[in-house]
Amino acid sequence: MKITHALVAMMCVFGCASEAWAAQPATGLGQSAPNTSDVSTNPNWHVYVFAIGGVRYIQVNDVSGHVLGAVGTASGQYITLPIGAFSQQVATPQQAPAAPSSASPTAAPTTVYNDGATTVTATPLADGTTALTAAQSALACDPVDCNLKGP
């Protein structure tokens, strides 16, 4: 009888702990290796998404893990976050880049994130910086499908 009670108690402890672990929110916004999954649509970039209080925060890192910039979005509104090496070159529908580069693009914009509601593109520039642009997605799609295959 005591063994049964001990087993039930242990199962509850481990079961409750695993549920609590699974429910932990992603952390590390602004860090090079945050505690969340990389959801980039392109293997040359890392994108991490955090959701807090109804706002989605989308952070873009380069392939080496350096934080480039981030945006917050909710209900079609966007805001640039002051994190990342190129945070001054992040554009949204509501905000132009704070300090846009006059350098020319060295490649076409690359979609690095698309969840069906928001698309983020990265454009490498001749001065070694990267311009990031966040906007509403032109085509709606399933978030998993978008991030596996791109738009």
Side-chain angles (χ1 to χ4, degrees):
M1 186 83 147
K2 288 183 180 180
I3 292 176
T4 304
H5 288 274
L7 286 173
V8 169
M10 285 177 48
M11 288 172 54
C12 180
V13 167
F14 288 118
C16 294
S18 66
E19 286 177 23
W21 177 258
Q24 293 295 320
T27 59
L29 180 64
Q31 297 177 359
S32 63
N35 179 28
T36 189
S37 299
D38 180 356
V39 294
S40 178
T41 59
N42 186 298
N44 297 317
W45 304 89
H46 300 290
V47 176
Y48 304 99
V49 177
F50 307 85
I52 302 168
V55 178
R56 292 177 61 87
Y57 299 94
I58 304 165
Q59 173 181 311
V60 178
N61 293 12
D62 66 14
V63 73
S64 299
H66 300 106
V67 181
L68 303 182
V71 297
T73 181
S75 302
Q77 299 297 306
Y78 296 85
I79 186 168
T80 301
L81 302 178
I83 61 171
F86 306 132
S87 63
Q88 299 294 309
Q89 294 184 39
V90 177
T92 72
Q94 288 83 23
Q95 291 178 282
S101 173
S102 59
S104 58
T106 59
T110 300
T111 299
V112 297
Y113 178 75
N114 184 346
D115 65 9
T118 299
T119 298
V120 178
T121 61
T123 307
L125 303 174
D127 63 1
T129 63
T130 300
L132 300 174
T133 303
Q136 290 184 333
S137 295
L139 300 172
C141 63
D142 175 67
V144 173
D145 193 46
C146 283
N147 282 329
L148 288 177
K149 300 176 188 168

